[in-house]
Amino acid sequence: KMGPNPSDGNFNLDIVLSEDADLEMRLYSISNPKLLKTEKYHGDNKYYISCNDGLNPGQYLLMLKSKGQTKVMKFMVTK
């Protein structure tokens, strides 16, 4: 779960996995296709992540990887 969307550049992730596992988060800009941020988290099945990166207005992709599975979420920043 991710929110708010759209956001002011700050958002929260509430992630629940079926079992304890590592998690990798990657943040990409759509308007200027490049990797903005990579974070790795280890050994839990629940993660609450607060992202306060003050992103510029635009569209972004958030990619979450865990145990060979990938989920991609699109979100928008408005100010």
Side-chain angles (χ1 to χ4, degrees):
K1 181 175 156 183
M2 177 184 165
N5 187 15
S7 79
D8 63 359
N10 302 309
F11 58 92
N12 298 309
L13 297 167
D14 192 8
I15 301 163
V16 179
L17 304 174
S18 60
E19 59 185 86
D20 290 354
D22 293 345
L23 177 73
E24 180 179 3
M25 178 185 79
R26 293 183 180 183
L27 178 63
Y28 295 89
S29 170
I30 292 176
S31 60
N32 180 10
K34 68 177 187 175
L35 177 64
L36 300 175
K37 181 178 184 176
T38 300
E39 296 281 337
K40 294 184 179 184
Y41 305 91
H42 302 284
D44 206 347
N45 74 323
K46 293 182 183 179
Y47 295 93
Y48 182 81
I49 303 167
S50 183
C51 296
N52 300 310
D53 294 323
L55 298 170
N56 292 322
Q59 294 184 354
Y60 296 86
L61 290 177
L62 185 69
M63 180 184 294
L64 301 172
K65 290 185 174 184
S66 182
K67 295 193 72 148
Q69 295 185 337
T70 301
K71 180 171 183 169
V72 178
M73 295 178 274
K74 184 176 177 181
F75 70 98
M76 181 178 257
V77 173
T78 59
K79 289 189 180 183

